[in-house]
Amino acid sequence: FEGINDVKRKIFNYANFISTEWTANNWLSIRPGYRLALSDKFDTQHNYSLTMRAKITENDNIRLVIGSANRFPNFDELYTYMVDSNHNIQGNQDLVPEEGMTFSLNADKKINTNSGWNFKAGASATYLNLKNRIELSLINQSPLQYKYINIDSFKSYLFEGNFKAQKSSFSL
């Protein structure tokens, strides 16, 4: 059902990732990575990452991840147009890609007991620093109106902990 006033939009994004792993010795491995991201609307982006894993013991690992955190705006963020009596949500064709860096530190420990119980605990901390973060924001209180915009600077800290206990097919 094509009409004379139909709006046709398209965007082409393509990305490819490559990495390799080098085992420096029996307790340290290093994995660099590179992602090439292409778009028909934005300049080419290059994302880099470096992961280092230290195997402290057979059951203890520490992992450090450092990388760039760039991304293109997606189709919805650019072209959404949902305006009716109850909604006013609009994309923004003037958005620019996000640029940033992320750092993450992770640790995990496994404990196997003679009684058949196996335990696994982990903790992680992540820091994300972005320029031009893309967010759906309230731009008008009355009438209610939302639009995707770039936020100049965004920082995030995430801390996580996890625990698992397992015996045979039972686990928590």
Side-chain angles (χ1 to χ4, degrees), residues 48 50 65-69 100-104 126-130 156:
Y48 307 93
L50 180 64
V65 182
I66 302 168
S68 53
M101 290 294 295
T102 185
F103 305 91
S104 179
T126 303
Y127 170 70
L128 174 65
N129 185 358
L130 289 178
S156 173

Side-chain angles (χ1 to χ4, degrees), residues 43-158:
D43 291 337
T44 299
Q45 288 184 340
H46 305 274
N47 282 303
Y48 307 93
S49 66
L50 180 64
T51 302
M52 292 177 281
R53 180 178 153 252
K55 190 174 181 179
I56 307 304
T57 70
E58 195 60 37
N59 293 320
D60 302 300
N61 289 296
I62 296 176
R63 190 170 315 227
L64 174 66
V65 182
I66 302 168
S68 53
N70 305 322
R71 80 168 185 94
F72 297 128
N74 65 36
F75 187 88
D76 288 338
E77 293 163 341
L78 291 167
Y79 302 122
T80 292
Y81 188 81
M82 188 170 72
V83 178
D84 60 25
S85 60
N86 296 315
H87 305 92
N88 188 334
I89 302 171
Q90 298 180 34
N92 182 352
Q93 295 181 48
D94 295 325
L95 291 173
V96 297
E98 293 179 353
E99 299 173 29
M101 290 294 295
T102 185
F103 305 91
S104 179
L105 182 63
N106 310 287
D108 61 75
K109 180 170 189 66
K110 290 187 238 175
I111 300 170
N112 300 319
T113 67
N114 291 334
S115 65
W117 280 97
N118 299 318
F119 301 99
K120 187 175 182 181
S124 68
T126 303
Y127 170 70
L128 174 65
N129 185 358
L130 289 178
K131 183 174 102 175
N132 296 319
R133 179 178 170 96
I134 300 167
E135 281 288 332
L136 181 61
S137 298
L138 178 65
I139 59 168
N140 195 5
Q141 192 73 28
S142 181
L144 205 54
Q145 197 174 14
Y146 292 88
K147 186 175 187 176
Y148 288 97
I149 63 169
N150 285 109
I151 297 173
D152 292 338
S153 179
F154 175 85
K155 292 179 173 57
S156 173
Y157 302 89
L158 175 66

Side-chain angles (χ1 to χ4, degrees), residues 8-14 38-42 72-79:
K8 293 183 181 181
R9 305 262 191 237
K10 68 177 184 163
I11 186 169
F12 172 79
N13 292 332
Y14 176 80
L38 306 170
S39 172
D40 63 351
K41 184 166 175 58
F42 302 103
F72 297 128
N74 65 36
F75 187 88
D76 288 338
E77 293 163 341
L78 291 167
Y79 302 122

Side-chain angles (χ1 to χ4, degrees), residues 19-48:
S19 73
T20 186
E21 186 167 353
W22 175 54
T23 303
N25 53 43
N26 63 348
W27 61 271
L28 179 65
S29 64
I30 300 170
R31 180 184 297 166
Y34 171 75
R35 178 181 304 278
L36 174 67
L38 306 170
S39 172
D40 63 351
K41 184 166 175 58
F42 302 103
D43 291 337
T44 299
Q45 288 184 340
H46 305 274
N47 282 303
Y48 307 93

